[in-house]
Amino acid sequence: MKNRLSLVLYRLYRAMKKTPLLLLLLLLSGSATFAQAPRLDSALTYLHDRGLFNGVVLLAENGKVVYQKNYGITDIRNPQPLQVSSAFNLASVSKQFVCAMICLLQENGRLGFDDKVQKHLPEFPYPDITVRQLMNHTSGVPEYFDFCIRYTGALDTIDNQTILQLFANVKPPLDFTPGEKWQYSNTGYVVLGSLIEKLSGKSIADYFSEKITRPLGLKNTYIFHLKMKSSPQNRVYGFRREDGKNKLDDLMRFDGIVGDGNVYSSAEDLLKWTQALHGGKLLKAASLAEMMKPAPLNDGTTFPYGFGLGFNCGAKCAAHTGGWVGFLNLLWTDFDKKRTLVVLSNGGSAAGIQAGQQFMKGEKIQLPQTQLIDNVQLIDGSGSPARRAAVRLMGNRIWETGDLKPFNNEPVFDGKGQVLAPGFIDTHSHHFWALDEDPTLLPALSQGITTIVTGQDGSSEPMDSLVAAVKKQPVSINVASYTGHTSLRLDAMGMGSFRRHATAEEVEKMKANLKSELEKGSLGLCTGLEYERAFYSNRDEVLALAKIAGEAGGRYMSHIRSEDINIEDAIDEIIHIGREAKLPVQVSHIKVAMKSKWESSRGIVVAMQAARSEGIDITADCYPYDFWLSTLKVLFPNRDYDNLASAEFACRELFDPTQSRLPAFLPNPAYKGKTVAEVARLRNETPAQTLVWLIAEADRYDAAHPDADGRTEGIMGKSMLETDIANFLAWPHTNICSDGDPVSHPRGHGAFPRVLAKYVREQKLLPLETAIHKMTALSAEHTGIKNRGLVTNGYFADLVLFDPATVQDNSTADNPTALASGITAVWVNGQLVFENGKATGKKPGLVVRR
């Protein structure tokens, strides 16, 4: 770990050492009572027992230690118990020591707080930045991490001179005008470290010892970095817990630097330090007052951060956190109540300092809850082979996977050797409209679906309405949404005027509304171009909207303009949109729904793969059925609904009247469930004549009942070939969807189990790991959903447990609402929502935003 910089470590560095969010939590003073110290001890003991705290805590009131305890070891390679004298890497808690040294130099006349840095360090490339602005993070100097990674080698140990020279050579632009705002900057403190050495004429370590540690009697406080020849004996080493095992996580190639970190100290020394600093034993009153001033900004406002100290309510409290490699620390002093808390940890978890923050603010300490899912065959969604493992959850996330043992009193779910996979993501769903009747969305949940994607076929609810609906009626699974082109179109053009091309003004209105929805978290644009209300749009209208989605980082999904007679042109259109709009495009529920074009799936796959080789990110989703559900009108590609010849063509090429049934027909409910051929026999007509009559009758009914709730007519059309379905499912860029609703088509209750039963277990078209990948990680990738779709540490705990030997879809055209079997349990955001064939009633589902 010392000689390499991994992306993981870099992100940890930025998150913990750069980001001020954790620090900002400290800026509120609280009302903790020290008689409640056992509450803190109980919390830290709980955390230590779960591998979430390894460190030292010290609590003082009126200068006296009222509670002190050590939890754990100094070094995983040579485990020795921690002591109150153990010296931890303070990370960013180091910054107040650096500022104190600058104050001492100011008191000795070596510099002024408002001196330009260039006065003392001519190579510093920014002429307008002052020493004060470096100390209170208002300089605008960018972080050095990206530049070091770009311009230095993996074996280089970075020091202060490296940073100064790099900035002098590259001269990266400032993030903002100095004094314009507050933004945490480690670079500024590296420069301050160099400034101390320049003005003192000594190494910063020697100056620190001479001016601070020796005068104050800090026996376990010092500066250490990798450019030094030897390591102090009482130095604590960082580590992290990873999948149940401890791994060294200590200094690495950035740690030749000092200033933004690499001061070491013990809990007892930090108490002495705080008392000396704020008690006037080190600095003059004027210097301390400067150190405690909020950062002044150019607009006359201030930010509650001084010289290496964060505070609020004037000078009533001062606090700082620090995080680097395995170290996470907290130093908090409440001047009003004369209390100090020191939390030093080296185990890679922030749980200890979070508990300390809550304690000092007088809040209830929120302890992370864990649970273990044990004894499973883990298929993680990546396509990798199954492996025996356990998975531990913490709150709503996956914490660790591997060979894990239960903690004391930890809930354990016995997987009994079944398959544990990421929760299935249904990229094309119509389940959400049943929210009010069934907030568990059981038809989806019982399939193992943990996230549904709505806004399909061009119709959507506004994002605000979606969020409000879930807030009003919590749901058991997650919901994401596209923005529907048809919905945008009707809003811009009106219900009576959609059978034409949109005007330029109407397209502009659609673009503005789409942009607003994307800003609120819509996944992108979804079209239903085969349906009448969108069919009359031209390519330019759709392309203009797709470009808006692409500019926002969104995606384009389409029920393409034709799935039968003009399918080649429809595929060409979506490829054209992907090429011109430069965004990912997806064909919804891909199919070949015309008899004379059966077995053309190979050519379609070749065309899409060729587009991918051109750089167009085109994908598809597919459901595992050879019959679809839609309106009767899609059977008339030319929209000539009263043309008997067209109806005869439809009966011959586009669907099988003897196997295609009406799931609903409001003008005559007796026809519900009957095939078109059966209705034709009742009417003594040909199926073509009946098809024309059904559409005309539905239109008459709609005209007479404008407020009718639900689709007046529909058809489950038998028109696909099994070979084509298999070809589409096998394409590596096709993910699984249901296109299901809660009542009409068996896919709404059985799509995902059907893939596992028919195409994995029976036909062996897909390996189980590949099928799971197509239901999870690939689905997340195709929709832009983050942190879901994989069983990996840090992802949301959406999981499904099932028996691959018995999983089975049971829904049929005659009984479309029969629940699947073989799905044992489902977790959404860490909560068990389905078990033993029933919803548990928990509703932890979230609105997932782009």
Side-chain angles (χ1 to χ4, degrees), residues 37-241:
R39 181 167 61 95
L40 181 60
D41 178 62
S42 175
L44 293 174
T45 299
Y46 172 92
L47 295 174
H48 178 68
D49 288 345
R50 281 159 174 73
L52 291 167
F53 182 69
N54 189 94
V56 173
V57 60
L58 182 151
L59 196 59
E61 185 172 30
N62 292 316
K64 302 293 184 181
V65 176
V66 296
Y67 169 68
Q68 187 275 316
K69 192 170 181 178
N70 313 316
Y71 303 80
I73 57 175
T74 60
D75 184 353
I76 60 171
R77 299 164 300 179
N78 180 26
Q80 300 295 321
L82 286 166
Q83 306 292 333
V84 72
S85 59
S86 298
F88 290 72
N89 187 324
L90 298 183
S92 285
V93 177
S94 305
K95 289 179 168 65
Q96 58 194 272
F97 290 95
V98 171
C99 288
M101 287 186 276
I102 292 291
C103 288
L104 290 172
L105 290 169
Q106 188 271 341
E107 289 179 359
N108 292 328
R110 304 287 182 87
L111 59 74
F113 295 137
D114 295 309
D115 285 354
K116 296 293 194 292
V117 177
Q118 270 192 357
K119 175 182 177 181
H120 306 288
L121 294 173
E123 66 271 36
F124 185 66
Y126 308 108
D128 297 326
I129 292 175
T130 66
V131 175
R132 181 188 301 276
Q133 288 167 338
L134 293 181
M135 288 195 287
N136 61 28
H137 299 295
T138 60
S139 69
V141 176
E143 290 287 15
Y144 60 80
F145 314 120
D146 289 330
F147 300 103
C148 284
I149 290 173
R150 187 183 310 170
Y151 295 107
T152 66
L155 298 180
D156 295 333
T157 299
I158 309 301
D159 59 17
N160 291 50
Q161 188 57 40
T162 303
I163 302 298
L164 274 178
Q165 192 61 50
L166 181 61
F167 272 67
N169 294 338
V170 177
K171 298 181 176 61
L174 295 175
D175 289 343
F176 52 85
T177 301
E180 184 178 67
K181 63 181 181 178
W182 187 91
Q183 178 178 287
Y184 204 77
S185 172
N186 291 289
T187 307
Y189 274 77
V190 175
V191 176
L192 290 171
S194 297
L195 190 61
I196 291 167
E197 293 192 328
K198 175 75 176 292
L199 296 181
S200 70
K202 301 176 181 180
S203 73
I204 190 171
D206 288 343
Y207 189 73
F208 184 56
S209 175
E210 176 187 329
K211 296 295 184 180
I212 293 181
T213 62
R214 286 205 302 268
L216 298 183
L218 306 180
K219 299 179 181 180
N220 303 300
T221 303
Y222 48 81
I223 287 173
F224 175 74
H225 55 77
L226 291 181
K227 293 284 188 173
M228 293 182 168
K229 295 180 179 179
S230 60
S231 177
Q233 289 186 348
N234 73 337
R235 176 165 93 86
V236 173
Y237 289 80
F239 67 93
R240 70 184 187 278
R241 180 184 173 98

Side-chain angles (χ1 to χ4, degrees), residues 26-31 312-313 316-317 332 334 337 360-361:
L26 303 178
L27 300 181
L28 299 174
S29 60
S31 58
N312 195 33
C313 303
K316 290 184 178 180
C317 68
W332 180 316
D334 185 324
K337 298 178 175 61
M360 287 297 281
K361 289 188 284 186

